[in-house]
Amino acid sequence: MQETTSRQRLAGVLILLGLIAQIIGFTGWLGTAHAVSYLLWAAVLLLWRDIPRRSRIQAGVLMALGTLMLLVARFVYGAEVDWPAMLQGNAFVAAMLVGVSFISLIGRQGTKGATGQRVTGAGGILRTWLGVHFLGTILNLSTVFMVGDKLARRGPLTTPQLLALNRGLSSAALWSPFFASMGVVIALVPEVQYAQIAVVGFPMAMLSGLLTTLEMRKRFDLAEVDGFSLSPRSLLMPVGMAALVMLFHFVLTPALTIVSIITFLLPGVALLSNLHEGPRFTLRRIRQHTTTRLPAMRGEISLFLAAGLLTIGLSTLVSAAAGSDWTLFARFGTPQAMISFAAITLSALAGLHPIIGVSVLASILNLQSGEQTLFAFVALSSWAVGTSVGPLSGINLSLQGRYGVSGYRMMKDNLLYAAVMSLLSLLAIAGVSYLVN
């Protein structure tokens, strides 16, 4: 592994300080919103040259557009712009991503306890999907590497294995409260009813696993394709963490959102789980995480922050040019939701991350309480489908970097899956619309 430079280590420290500032802000003792955004943006600037070229171009365009829109709103339309706060967009979500990353410090090996007998065939594909999906609800993208590296010990990953990794993780966006997608949604529409999302999103995710298994069995000879053998012990940590989040949300800290709770709870649990080894061991693991893992998050942090700046710029410009009462749709019902889903998913095919479409759409809508839940499901379902098929999505870029598979090959192999999941999503959107109205 390439040794980190002093510049990268400094950026890691700034990211950690941004997380700490965010957690302090939850107490209400001190307003830290400015500090969080400045620390995270400073880290992005330090890491800018290390961001992959395509991601750097995409983030740079978003930043330029956001800034240009703010300038036009101020100097052409005379709008009042809160310049010190212009960098705060999605800093909340970026801090949550940093907090979630600390889950890798729980235990020495992420797949410990997950070993078992060799499994192959359609059952192996289904187990791989289940393992990535349920472990990924908490561990996020790191699960793909844990499971993928385990499978790669027997030989280069095959197309069915890669597709199971891709779809197992991307479909978790449909319901997992720990995913970045959920963090973005809750930040954009804070009145969303999570229970109504989960009651539709979870069955949708299970259909994704069934569809993947049936498609792989039909398209490929799976006799010698290894699957991931998941033991019940592997699920103890994700289930336990979910239970803790619900305990804090409904009993201990009901005033805080799920995103806020995840931001401080996961690092806290990671810290406590290491303390039994002694303070010196704990500090060493935190220092290693800060100087290696946090700088490696440069791509996702920069994209989320850049999309946040675009959202602030666009919403400010639209409000200044058309008036604060202007909205894209007078009412956000089933037809509008379906159009929005199609637009975000198609933009993902063109190479845009779904967060861009979701953020832009939210900035030009005036959503009522029930409409917020419908919008949330549109955002999550388009995120789940869009990241699976989008050639420049985080999951496909990660598979490309780790295992050498082309993002455009993943897009081609996922087109049928995306089409079927899109049809199911449109039906589910109609169902959610019925539930909230």
Side-chain angles (χ1 to χ4, degrees):
M1 186 171 60
Q2 187 176 2
E3 188 174 347
T4 56
T5 65
S6 57
R7 171 179 54 82
Q8 293 166 333
R9 290 192 292 271
L10 174 59
V13 171
L14 292 176
I15 294 171
L16 178 63
L17 290 175
L19 172 63
I20 294 171
Q22 181 70 78
I23 294 172
I24 291 173
F26 295 149
T27 65
W29 299 337
L30 189 66
T32 60
H34 287 324
V36 173
S37 60
Y38 296 160
L39 286 165
L40 293 178
W41 274 98
V44 168
L45 289 176
L46 284 173
L47 296 168
W48 186 253
R49 71 178 75 167
D50 304 320
I51 299 173
R53 183 173 179 272
R54 282 184 292 190
S55 298
R56 191 165 65 240
I57 291 173
Q58 189 165 332
V61 169
L62 296 179
M63 294 175 195
L65 287 174
T67 304
L68 178 62
M69 290 176 184
L70 286 172
L71 291 171
V72 171
R74 173 65 185 91
F75 295 107
V76 176
Y77 293 99
E80 291 294 327
V81 176
D82 186 358
W83 295 109
M86 65 178 284
L87 300 179
Q88 289 182 17
N90 285 343
F92 194 69
V93 182
M96 185 206 75
L97 289 174
V98 176
V100 167
S101 74
F102 279 83
I103 203 72
S104 63
L105 297 185
I106 299 179
R108 303 291 185 92
Q109 297 292 331
T111 55
K112 187 176 180 179
T115 58
Q117 62 182 5
R118 184 186 182 195
V119 289
T120 58
I125 291 297
L126 179 59
R127 291 193 190 191
T128 300
W129 186 95
L130 288 170
V132 174
H133 185 83
F134 285 106
L135 293 175
T137 58
I138 300 289
L139 302 176
N140 286 261
L141 190 58
S142 60
T143 307
V144 170
F145 301 139
M146 292 177 185
V147 176
D149 288 355
K150 181 178 174 63
L151 294 175
R153 292 172 191 167
R154 295 184 182 270
L157 294 186
T158 62
T159 297
Q161 290 172 322
L162 290 164
L163 292 175
L165 293 174
N166 168 293
R167 299 175 188 180
L169 185 72
S170 58
S171 58
L174 285 162
W175 68 276
S176 173
F178 304 97
F179 248 58
S181 56
M182 191 68 73
V184 170
V185 164
I186 293 176
L188 292 172
V189 284
E191 294 181 33
V192 58
Q193 297 297 314
Y194 172 72
Q196 293 178 333
I197 295 294
V199 77
V200 179
F202 183 76
M204 280 281 295
M206 296 304 102
L207 286 174
S208 164
L210 178 62
L211 174 62
T212 297
T213 305
L214 293 176
E215 183 192 355
M216 294 304 102
R217 187 171 66 179
K218 186 175 182 180
R219 286 179 57 189
F220 301 97
D221 180 5
L222 304 177
E224 294 300 317
V225 176
D226 287 294
F228 176 66
S229 181
L230 180 68
S231 71
R233 182 181 173 188
S234 302
L235 295 176
L236 288 178
M237 191 270 287
V239 171
M241 290 305 307
L244 273 176
V245 170
M246 294 301 109
L247 175 65
F248 273 86
H249 182 59
F250 291 108
V251 180
L252 300 179
T253 55
L256 293 180
T257 66
I258 288 178
V259 174
S260 303
I261 293 168
I262 291 170
T263 303
F264 74 79
L265 182 61
L266 298 192
V269 171
L271 182 65
L272 292 175
S273 71
N274 282 273
L275 280 176
H276 70 90
E277 298 280 358
R280 184 173 298 178
F281 173 84
T282 304
L283 286 173
R284 184 168 68 249
R285 293 203 81 189
I286 292 175
R287 182 170 63 248
Q288 182 182 23
H289 186 81
T290 301
T291 57
T292 57
R293 176 70 182 95
L294 296 189
M297 297 180 68
R298 54 191 175 265
E300 47 203 307
I301 292 176
S302 63
L303 180 61
F304 280 95
L305 292 178
L309 176 56
L310 175 70
T311 302
I312 289 177
L314 181 60
S315 60
T316 302
L317 178 59
V318 168
S319 179
S324 58
D325 294 331
W326 184 87
T327 181
L328 179 63
F329 300 122
R331 176 181 177 274
F332 193 73
T334 304
Q336 295 82 8
M338 289 181 172
I339 293 170
S340 300
F341 170 85
I344 297 171
T345 306
L346 289 173
S347 71
L349 268 174
L352 296 179
H353 194 284
I355 188 180
I356 300 171
V358 170
S359 300
V360 168
L361 185 61
S363 68
I364 52 178
L365 290 175
N366 184 17
L367 299 166
Q368 306 305 312
S369 56
E371 293 175 342
Q372 291 197 18
T373 299
L374 179 58
F375 172 85
F377 186 77
V378 169
L380 296 172
S381 56
S382 59
W383 192 298
V385 177
T387 53
S388 71
V389 74
L392 300 182
S393 68
I395 174 66
N396 283 328
L397 288 176
S398 298
L399 290 174
Q400 177 176 313
R402 191 81 160 198
Y403 305 113
V405 60
S406 164
Y408 289 95
R409 177 186 161 192
M410 293 299 292
M411 179 183 74
K412 181 180 177 182
D413 285 329
N414 270 319
L415 283 175
L416 177 61
Y417 166 82
V420 176
M421 287 300 295
S422 293
L423 289 175
L424 292 174
S425 296
L426 292 174
L427 292 174
I429 286 170
V432 173
S433 180
Y434 177 79
L435 281 176
V436 301
N437 292 321

